[in-house]
């Protein structure tokens, strides 16, 4: 696969960065890393950040270096990239059912601690057979549906039945419950998020009690995301947290109202674009369109807007609406765009340019970019 041109070199000035480029404000990024690590440290909970947000071994290593027990990812392809880069503990927060993918996952478990989710007894049998054949052990979590209505068995007896199946299978180790409420991450009001996670916590806690009453240890309840992690942390139920987007943030998370006691993470990730046309006083066009940004959570915001609004995008054009009361941007001017949704935006790039002030300090490969299998 041909990688994208490296948009900058270490030591380059901002003006030398070729656009569109995915750019990281390193001071803010490190603040976000440290804030999460510090508030979780000493809480008795483990931090396992979700790497589907950044797809970068360099960032994963920075998280593990600050105390994370490992990372999460969503696909076997991603897990292979992170294990190859030296990340020794990877939880695939997904059901893996294709035989070839299960075999690859089992081979990864020969050299790293590999976790995976199940919500079907047939999948348990397939995972066990592959683990035995590979000569390793897969760490298996029962996924329960705590409100997102995506994957997952119902809490309670169905989860217990799966736990029994895992415990009775060679090559597998039952680790606990995966109780992630993705839909709660973007409920705008703090009270809505708190109520959603309170219900998820009740369901997960009751299921753990049922499993342990059957004589099966259930040491881990894992879940949480950037929008709700404090709720899970304070629940007395969850033992492990999986926030991912906190390192970057995006326009959609910026729409969440925060409670007075909620920790605020700052925007560190941008798509740097260049004004390539100023056809009218009310319109300017940048070189970042649908192929440079994810639009599933709406268009990007213009950082330090100066009366600029990202009005619409086409394949390679982004049209900015210009407030007539403000000065029109100049041809060649740089514009910093805040992605609507950071995760799929990152997946459009091969490189992330780390800026310290006005200079490029690092250029990291997004090594798991496009890893969707």
């Amino acid at each position: 696969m041909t990688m994208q041109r490296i948009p900058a070199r270490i030591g380059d000035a901002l003006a030398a960065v070729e656009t569109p480029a995915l750019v990281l404000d390193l001071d803010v990024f490190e603040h976000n890393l440290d804030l999460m690590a510090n508030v979780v440290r000493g809480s008795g909970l483990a931090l396992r950040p979700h790497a589907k947000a950044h797809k970068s071994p360099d960032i994963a290593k920075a998280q593990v270096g600050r105390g994370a027990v490992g990372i999460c990812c969503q696909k076997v392809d991603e897990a292979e990239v992170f294990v190859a880069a030296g990340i020794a503990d990877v939880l695939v927060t997904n059901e893996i059912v294709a035989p070839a993918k299960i075999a690859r996952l089992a081979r990864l478990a020969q050299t790293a601690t590999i976790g995976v989710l199940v919500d079907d007894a047939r999948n348990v049998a397939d995972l066990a057979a592959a683990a035995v054949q590979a000569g390793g052990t897969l760490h298996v979590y029962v996924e329960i549906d705590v409100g997102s209505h995506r994957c997952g068995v119902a809490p309670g007896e169905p989860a217990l039945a799966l736990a029994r199946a895992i415990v009775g299978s060679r090559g597998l180790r039952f680790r606990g419950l995966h109780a992630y409420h993705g839909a709660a991450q973007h409920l705008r009001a703090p009270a809505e998020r708190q109520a959603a996670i309170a219900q998820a916590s009740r369901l997960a806690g009751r299921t753990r009690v049922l499993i342990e009453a059957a004589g099966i240890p259930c040491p881990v309840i894992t879940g949480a995301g950037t929008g709700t992690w404090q709720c899970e942390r304070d629940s007395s139920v969850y033992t492990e947290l999986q926030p991912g987007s906190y390192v970057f943030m995006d326009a959609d998370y910026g729409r969440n109202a925060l409670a007075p006691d909620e920790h605020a993470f700052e925007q560190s990730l941008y798509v740097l674009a260049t004004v390539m046309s100023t056809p009218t006083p009310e319109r300017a066009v940048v070189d970042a369109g649908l192929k440079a940004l994810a639009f599933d959570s709406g268009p990007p915001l213009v950082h330090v807007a100066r009366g600029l609004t990202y009005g619409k995008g086409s394949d390679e054009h982004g049209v900015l609406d210009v407030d007539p009361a403000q000065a029109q941007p100049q041809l060649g001017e740089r514009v910093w765009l805040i992605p609507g949704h950071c995760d799929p935006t990152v997946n459009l790039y091969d490189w992330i340019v780390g800026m310290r002030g006005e200079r490029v300090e690092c250029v990291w490969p997004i090594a798991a970019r496009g890893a969707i299998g």
Side-chain angles (χ1 to χ4, degrees):
M1 182 180 71
T2 300
M3 297 186 75
Q4 296 161 354
R5 179 193 299 272
I6 298 177
R9 301 287 180 179
I10 293 173
D12 279 352
L14 176 64
V17 179
E18 293 190 23
T19 64
L22 196 65
V23 174
L24 190 62
D25 181 325
L26 290 173
D27 289 331
V28 178
F29 165 73
E30 291 168 358
H31 165 78
N32 290 344
L33 281 177
D34 292 336
L35 175 57
M36 182 65 77
N38 291 338
V39 296
V40 174
R41 187 179 297 117
S43 68
L45 279 73
L47 177 62
R48 183 184 293 277
H50 217 306
K52 73 179 178 67
H54 56 70
K55 290 178 170 278
S56 164
D58 292 281
I59 294 177
K61 289 175 182 178
Q63 292 170 318
V64 171
R66 287 167 168 79
V69 297
I71 61 156
C72 299
C73 63
Q74 288 274 266
K75 298 298 183 103
V76 178
D77 283 351
E78 289 178 327
E80 288 173 332
V81 169
F82 286 108
V83 171
I87 303 299
D89 192 327
V90 178
L91 170 59
V92 179
T93 55
N94 218 338
E95 283 70 19
I96 305 301
V97 300
K101 294 179 183 180
I102 290 174
R104 287 162 50 206
L105 197 69
R107 287 195 294 271
L108 280 182
Q110 295 171 344
T111 57
T113 299
I114 301 296
V116 67
L117 310 185
V118 296
D119 65 1
D120 192 298
R122 293 168 294 183
N123 193 202
V124 173
D126 291 341
L127 290 168
V132 169
Q133 183 173 3
T137 300
L138 286 169
H139 295 241
V140 183
Y141 300 70
V142 173
E143 181 167 20
I144 59 174
D145 181 1
V146 292
S148 285
H149 307 314
R150 196 169 60 181
C151 295
V153 296
E157 291 290 345
L160 172 59
L162 274 181
R164 283 180 168 140
I166 296 164
V167 170
S169 300
R170 292 175 56 212
L172 306 183
R173 180 183 176 191
F174 175 64
R175 292 290 291 140
L177 300 175
H178 185 263
Y180 174 63
H181 196 339
Q185 306 309 311
H186 302 281
L187 295 173
R188 299 308 179 198
E192 291 180 295
R193 298 194 296 276
Q194 291 163 4
I197 299 308
Q199 174 65 3
S201 300
R202 284 191 290 271
L203 295 171
R206 291 169 185 169
T207 302
R208 178 175 57 192
V209 168
L210 185 67
I211 291 171
E212 291 184 337
I216 302 173
C218 185
V220 178
I221 296 182
T222 185
T226 295
T228 65
W229 66 272
Q230 284 187 238
C231 301
E232 284 94 344
R233 183 197 64 178
D234 298 338
S235 69
S236 301
V237 171
Y238 285 79
T239 67
E240 186 175 87
L241 306 178
Q242 301 177 7
S245 299
Y246 75 95
V247 296
F248 295 149
M249 302 304 287
D250 56 33
D252 195 73
Y253 268 119
R255 298 181 186 107
N256 282 4
L258 298 182
D261 62 343
E262 280 190 82
H263 293 280
F265 296 94
E266 299 176 18
Q267 187 65 41
S268 69
L269 185 77
Y270 302 89
V271 170
L272 184 66
T274 299
V275 175
M276 61 181 186
S277 177
T278 56
T280 74
E282 296 81 24
R283 185 169 76 250
V285 184
V286 296
D287 58 355
L290 300 177
K291 294 183 179 180
L293 293 145
F295 282 74
D296 60 299
S297 294
L301 301 178
V302 180
H303 181 57
V304 190
R306 298 186 296 108
L308 302 177
T309 304
Y310 194 107
K312 64 179 181 178
S314 53
D315 281 0
E316 303 290 1
H317 298 77
V319 178
L320 304 183
D321 298 325
V322 182
D323 184 340
Q326 301 288 328
Q328 186 185 47
Q330 298 299 303
L331 202 67
E333 184 175 334
R334 300 305 181 91
V335 177
W336 297 74
L337 301 175
I338 300 172
H341 188 182
C342 58
D343 298 22
T345 296
V346 169
N347 195 52
L348 298 171
Y349 293 84
D350 284 330
W351 307 96
I352 187 165
V353 178
M355 301 291 304
R356 186 85 64 185
E358 295 293 313
R359 290 285 169 183
V360 175
E361 183 171 301
C362 59
V363 181
W364 291 330
I366 304 173
R369 181 250 175 165
I372 59 173

